[in-house]
Amino acid sequence: MTAAHRWPVGWPTPNVGLWTGIAALGVAVLTVTEFVIRQVAVGPRPALDRVEALVAFNERTAAGTLGVILTDTVLMAVIVVFLSGFRQLIVQTRRDVQWIADIAFSAGIAYVVVTLVGDGLEGGAALDASVDGGSGTVIRALTVGHALFFGSIGCVLTALVSFASGYITLVSGALPRWTGWLAVVVAIPNLVLVGTAFGGTDDTSFRAAGGWGSVVLGTVPWLAWIVSVGVVVIRERESHLARARVTRESHTLPAA
């Protein structure tokens, strides 16, 4: 079966660069949307030792929290699309480094899963608070669990996916070298932030588990790298499509 027969007549071959770029821009839009919802409808969380205030906070902000979680769920789905497209951009250029691309992809998927589990814990606290006032013990436990997933655990996976992505970008030449170095730089603070697991639970503290340090130096730089890659691949989508066509046709040639 030739490459031309793999698609129904009239269906264009998907442009991996275009779809990877669209997914990256979607990440930017959804990230901003999630931030706005959290700032407007949720706000700062009370300290965990103020159990009654914590229960009241979760009861009052349940709708906003669920809105943040649903937005984050869509964001994770879009990140899966980006990771798949990024892997394909590398593989169609250098098949010999596919195993490293697979590491980056797998670490990214693991990050998505961990984030969704953390979202489930946060959503569980919001839902529990909406049932007869909720249980302070349950809400506190779920909140602490979410902080750990969002902090140290997520930072380990972000560091792995960033470093692997940076390395294969540099050795493959599939994307500009500066995007590879940017990914490597992103990995460094994420490794440092793994230690926030021992920094307490005050989310107003830079070094706390799930604190603002994990956001400013961990999550935001990685999302910025995703958007940067998206802009680059959209601008170079025709060259990526041509490269994919050559790779695909090379597999349809008869063996010598």
Side-chain angles (χ1 to χ4, degrees), residues 3 16 28 35 50 64 84 90 116 122 125-126 137 139 147 153 155 172 178 196 198 203 224 234 245 251 253:
V16 62
F35 176 79
R50 299 173 55 199
S84 300
I90 300 298
L116 293 176
E122 186 179 23
T137 302
I139 292 174
I153 297 176
C155 287
S172 69
W178 67 266
T196 58
F198 306 98
D203 64 348
I234 286 179
R245 186 181 301 112
H251 289 276
L253 296 177

mmCIF file of all heavy atoms in Angstrom, residues 3 16 28 35 50 64 84 90 116 122 125-126 137 139 147 153 155 172 178 196 198 203 224 234 245 251 253:
data_model
loop_
_atom_site.group_PDB
_atom_site.id
_atom_site.type_symbol
_atom_site.label_atom_id
_atom_site.label_comp_id
_atom_site.label_asym_id
_atom_site.label_seq_id
_atom_site.Cartn_x
_atom_site.Cartn_y
_atom_site.Cartn_z
ATOM 1 N N ALA A 3 1.811 5.428 0.109
ATOM 2 C CA ALA A 3 1.422 6.503 1.033
ATOM 3 C C ALA A 3 0.161 7.201 0.580
ATOM 4 O O ALA A 3 -0.653 7.639 1.383
ATOM 5 C CB ALA A 3 2.579 7.513 1.146
ATOM 6 N N VAL A 16 1.894 18.154 10.851
ATOM 7 C CA VAL A 16 2.276 17.986 12.248
ATOM 8 C C VAL A 16 2.757 19.293 12.860
ATOM 9 O O VAL A 16 2.492 19.581 14.035
ATOM 10 C CB VAL A 16 3.357 16.881 12.384
ATOM 11 C CG1 VAL A 16 4.633 17.253 11.633
ATOM 12 C CG2 VAL A 16 3.656 16.615 13.848
ATOM 13 N N ALA A 28 -1.391 28.177 25.813
ATOM 14 C CA ALA A 28 -1.276 29.565 26.285
ATOM 15 C C ALA A 28 -2.641 30.130 26.672
ATOM 16 O O ALA A 28 -2.802 30.729 27.747
ATOM 17 C CB ALA A 28 -0.632 30.430 25.203
ATOM 18 N N PHE A 35 -5.702 30.906 35.053
ATOM 19 C CA PHE A 35 -5.170 31.888 36.004
ATOM 20 C C PHE A 35 -6.230 32.921 36.372
ATOM 21 O O PHE A 35 -6.390 33.266 37.558
ATOM 22 C CB PHE A 35 -3.947 32.572 35.392
ATOM 23 C CG PHE A 35 -3.382 33.675 36.245
ATOM 24 C CD1 PHE A 35 -2.573 33.385 37.331
ATOM 25 C CD2 PHE A 35 -3.673 35.010 35.963
ATOM 26 C CE1 PHE A 35 -2.057 34.409 38.127
ATOM 27 C CE2 PHE A 35 -3.160 36.024 36.745
ATOM 28 C CZ PHE A 35 -2.349 35.730 37.827
ATOM 29 N N ARG A 50 -6.040 26.527 60.123
ATOM 30 C CA ARG A 50 -7.332 27.188 60.362
ATOM 31 C C ARG A 50 -8.417 26.344 59.689
ATOM 32 O O ARG A 50 -8.922 26.656 58.628
ATOM 33 C CB ARG A 50 -7.308 28.599 59.806
ATOM 34 C CG ARG A 50 -6.259 29.510 60.427
ATOM 35 C CD ARG A 50 -6.204 30.837 59.694
ATOM 36 N NE ARG A 50 -7.530 31.476 59.649
ATOM 37 C CZ ARG A 50 -7.862 32.427 58.783
ATOM 38 N NH1 ARG A 50 -6.979 32.830 57.868
ATOM 39 N NH2 ARG A 50 -9.070 32.954 58.808
ATOM 40 N N GLY A 64 -15.935 27.964 41.601
ATOM 41 C CA GLY A 64 -14.735 28.470 40.947
ATOM 42 C C GLY A 64 -13.648 27.419 40.857
ATOM 43 O O GLY A 64 -12.958 27.303 39.831
ATOM 44 N N SER A 84 2.604 14.760 21.538
ATOM 45 C CA SER A 84 2.594 13.814 20.417
ATOM 46 C C SER A 84 3.180 14.448 19.167
ATOM 47 O O SER A 84 3.980 13.827 18.455
ATOM 48 C CB SER A 84 1.154 13.342 20.143
ATOM 49 O OG SER A 84 0.600 12.707 21.277
ATOM 50 N N ILE A 90 10.520 15.317 16.002
ATOM 51 C CA ILE A 90 11.868 14.806 16.241
ATOM 52 C C ILE A 90 12.104 13.515 15.470
ATOM 53 O O ILE A 90 13.116 13.355 14.784
ATOM 54 C CB ILE A 90 12.097 14.566 17.745
ATOM 55 C CG1 ILE A 90 11.925 15.869 18.540
ATOM 56 C CG2 ILE A 90 13.471 13.954 17.983
ATOM 57 C CD1 ILE A 90 12.897 16.954 18.176
ATOM 58 N N LEU A 116 -3.699 15.554 36.757
ATOM 59 C CA LEU A 116 -5.119 15.217 36.821
ATOM 60 C C LEU A 116 -5.483 14.587 38.164
ATOM 61 O O LEU A 116 -6.571 14.841 38.703
ATOM 62 C CB LEU A 116 -5.489 14.275 35.676
ATOM 63 C CG LEU A 116 -5.416 14.893 34.269
ATOM 64 C CD1 LEU A 116 -5.710 13.839 33.209
ATOM 65 C CD2 LEU A 116 -6.386 16.059 34.137
ATOM 66 N N GLU A 122 -8.080 18.195 44.590
ATOM 67 C CA GLU A 122 -8.578 19.552 44.828
ATOM 68 C C GLU A 122 -10.085 19.617 44.592
ATOM 69 O O GLU A 122 -10.821 20.255 45.359
ATOM 70 C CB GLU A 122 -7.858 20.545 43.923
ATOM 71 C CG GLU A 122 -8.213 22.001 44.207
ATOM 72 C CD GLU A 122 -7.463 22.966 43.324
ATOM 73 O OE1 GLU A 122 -7.020 22.568 42.235
ATOM 74 O OE2 GLU A 122 -7.324 24.146 43.713
ATOM 75 N N ALA A 125 -11.971 18.068 47.502
ATOM 76 C CA ALA A 125 -12.107 18.984 48.644
ATOM 77 C C ALA A 125 -13.254 19.958 48.421
ATOM 78 O O ALA A 125 -14.034 20.247 49.335
ATOM 79 C CB ALA A 125 -10.798 19.745 48.861
ATOM 80 N N ALA A 126 -13.381 20.458 47.186
ATOM 81 C CA ALA A 126 -14.468 21.396 46.879
ATOM 82 C C ALA A 126 -15.827 20.708 46.975
ATOM 83 O O ALA A 126 -16.787 21.268 47.523
ATOM 84 C CB ALA A 126 -14.269 21.978 45.488
ATOM 85 N N THR A 137 -11.159 17.579 58.343
ATOM 86 C CA THR A 137 -10.054 16.626 58.245
ATOM 87 C C THR A 137 -9.871 16.136 56.814
ATOM 88 O O THR A 137 -8.752 16.061 56.304
ATOM 89 C CB THR A 137 -10.308 15.419 59.165
ATOM 90 O OG1 THR A 137 -10.466 15.874 60.512
ATOM 91 C CG2 THR A 137 -9.155 14.434 59.092
ATOM 92 N N ILE A 139 -10.944 17.603 53.981
ATOM 93 C CA ILE A 139 -10.550 18.714 53.107
ATOM 94 C C ILE A 139 -9.070 19.038 53.281
ATOM 95 O O ILE A 139 -8.345 19.260 52.302
ATOM 96 C CB ILE A 139 -11.414 19.952 53.391
ATOM 97 C CG1 ILE A 139 -12.855 19.689 52.960
ATOM 98 C CG2 ILE A 139 -10.856 21.190 52.695
ATOM 99 C CD1 ILE A 139 -13.823 20.788 53.317
ATOM 100 N N ALA A 147 -1.143 19.579 47.011
ATOM 101 C CA ALA A 147 0.070 20.401 47.044
ATOM 102 C C ALA A 147 1.298 19.581 46.687
ATOM 103 O O ALA A 147 2.190 20.052 45.961
ATOM 104 C CB ALA A 147 0.232 21.032 48.428
ATOM 105 N N ILE A 153 6.400 16.342 43.080
ATOM 106 C CA ILE A 153 6.187 15.248 42.130
ATOM 107 C C ILE A 153 6.109 15.783 40.708
ATOM 108 O O ILE A 153 6.733 15.246 39.784
ATOM 109 C CB ILE A 153 4.908 14.469 42.497
ATOM 110 C CG1 ILE A 153 5.059 13.810 43.876
ATOM 111 C CG2 ILE A 153 4.598 13.410 41.437
ATOM 112 C CD1 ILE A 153 3.816 13.111 44.369
ATOM 113 N N CYS A 155 7.395 18.545 39.649
ATOM 114 C CA CYS A 155 8.683 19.125 39.266
ATOM 115 C C CYS A 155 9.653 18.062 38.763
ATOM 116 O O CYS A 155 10.434 18.316 37.838
ATOM 117 C CB CYS A 155 9.291 19.874 40.455
ATOM 118 S SG CYS A 155 8.469 21.440 40.837
ATOM 119 N N SER A 172 19.091 16.622 17.231
ATOM 120 C CA SER A 172 18.358 16.307 16.004
ATOM 121 C C SER A 172 18.346 17.457 15.002
ATOM 122 O O SER A 172 18.280 17.240 13.793
ATOM 123 C CB SER A 172 16.912 15.907 16.329
ATOM 124 O OG SER A 172 16.176 17.025 16.811
ATOM 125 N N TRP A 178 18.055 27.322 20.022
ATOM 126 C CA TRP A 178 17.710 28.098 21.215
ATOM 127 C C TRP A 178 16.533 27.484 21.952
ATOM 128 O O TRP A 178 16.440 27.604 23.186
ATOM 129 C CB TRP A 178 17.443 29.554 20.864
ATOM 130 C CG TRP A 178 16.216 29.815 20.030
ATOM 131 C CD1 TRP A 178 16.154 29.927 18.681
ATOM 132 C CD2 TRP A 178 14.875 30.005 20.510
ATOM 133 N NE1 TRP A 178 14.867 30.167 18.272
ATOM 134 C CE2 TRP A 178 14.055 30.230 19.377
ATOM 135 C CE3 TRP A 178 14.291 30.018 21.778
ATOM 136 C CZ2 TRP A 178 12.684 30.442 19.477
ATOM 137 C CZ3 TRP A 178 12.914 30.235 21.879
ATOM 138 C CH2 TRP A 178 12.137 30.449 20.739
ATOM 139 N N THR A 196 11.062 21.193 47.658
ATOM 140 C CA THR A 196 9.953 21.874 48.341
ATOM 141 C C THR A 196 9.058 20.895 49.104
ATOM 142 O O THR A 196 8.218 21.339 49.889
ATOM 143 C CB THR A 196 9.088 22.655 47.322
ATOM 144 O OG1 THR A 196 8.581 21.751 46.323
ATOM 145 C CG2 THR A 196 9.912 23.747 46.650
ATOM 146 N N PHE A 198 9.880 19.322 51.479
ATOM 147 C CA PHE A 198 10.238 19.485 52.887
ATOM 148 C C PHE A 198 10.062 20.930 53.357
ATOM 149 O O PHE A 198 10.526 21.294 54.439
ATOM 150 C CB PHE A 198 11.696 19.058 53.097
ATOM 151 C CG PHE A 198 11.999 17.677 52.610
ATOM 152 C CD1 PHE A 198 12.571 17.484 51.362
ATOM 153 C CD2 PHE A 198 11.696 16.572 53.379
ATOM 154 C CE1 PHE A 198 12.846 16.206 50.886
ATOM 155 C CE2 PHE A 198 11.959 15.289 52.924
ATOM 156 C CZ PHE A 198 12.537 15.106 51.674
ATOM 157 N N ASP A 203 1.076 27.883 51.225
ATOM 158 C CA ASP A 203 1.163 28.154 49.791
ATOM 159 C C ASP A 203 1.580 29.584 49.469
ATOM 160 O O ASP A 203 1.771 29.925 48.303
ATOM 161 C CB ASP A 203 -0.151 27.814 49.086
ATOM 162 C CG ASP A 203 -1.309 28.679 49.549
ATOM 163 O OD1 ASP A 203 -1.160 29.382 50.565
ATOM 164 O OD2 ASP A 203 -2.373 28.641 48.901
ATOM 165 N N ALA A 224 5.920 28.245 28.994
ATOM 166 C CA ALA A 224 6.493 29.234 28.075
ATOM 167 C C ALA A 224 7.304 28.552 26.983
ATOM 168 O O ALA A 224 7.289 28.979 25.817
ATOM 169 C CB ALA A 224 7.365 30.221 28.848
ATOM 170 N N ILE A 234 4.818 26.558 13.805
ATOM 171 C CA ILE A 234 3.802 27.129 12.917
ATOM 172 C C ILE A 234 4.479 27.902 11.795
ATOM 173 O O ILE A 234 4.090 27.797 10.617
ATOM 174 C CB ILE A 234 2.836 28.044 13.704
ATOM 175 C CG1 ILE A 234 1.873 27.201 14.546
ATOM 176 C CG2 ILE A 234 2.047 28.935 12.747
ATOM 177 C CD1 ILE A 234 0.911 28.020 15.362
ATOM 178 N N ARG A 245 6.829 14.059 4.480
ATOM 179 C CA ARG A 245 6.495 13.411 3.213
ATOM 180 C C ARG A 245 7.665 12.564 2.706
ATOM 181 O O ARG A 245 7.486 11.428 2.261
ATOM 182 C CB ARG A 245 6.111 14.459 2.170
ATOM 183 C CG ARG A 245 5.604 13.862 0.871
ATOM 184 C CD ARG A 245 5.254 14.942 -0.143
ATOM 185 N NE ARG A 245 4.233 15.852 0.381
ATOM 186 C CZ ARG A 245 4.442 17.121 0.687
ATOM 187 N NH1 ARG A 245 5.654 17.662 0.536
ATOM 188 N NH2 ARG A 245 3.466 17.880 1.153
ATOM 189 N N HIS A 251 9.572 4.836 3.167
ATOM 190 C CA HIS A 251 9.127 3.551 3.667
ATOM 191 C C HIS A 251 8.275 2.785 2.659
ATOM 192 O O HIS A 251 7.912 1.649 2.899
ATOM 193 C CB HIS A 251 8.356 3.713 4.982
ATOM 194 C CG HIS A 251 9.223 4.087 6.135
ATOM 195 N ND1 HIS A 251 9.925 3.190 6.874
ATOM 196 C CD2 HIS A 251 9.537 5.295 6.657
ATOM 197 C CE1 HIS A 251 10.610 3.794 7.814
ATOM 198 N NE2 HIS A 251 10.385 5.083 7.717
ATOM 199 N N LEU A 253 9.280 2.619 -0.590
ATOM 200 C CA LEU A 253 10.164 2.185 -1.667
ATOM 201 C C LEU A 253 10.452 0.692 -1.531
ATOM 202 O O LEU A 253 10.632 0.183 -0.424
ATOM 203 C CB LEU A 253 11.477 2.966 -1.627
ATOM 204 C CG LEU A 253 11.365 4.484 -1.868
ATOM 205 C CD1 LEU A 253 12.729 5.129 -1.717
ATOM 206 C CD2 LEU A 253 10.804 4.753 -3.264
#
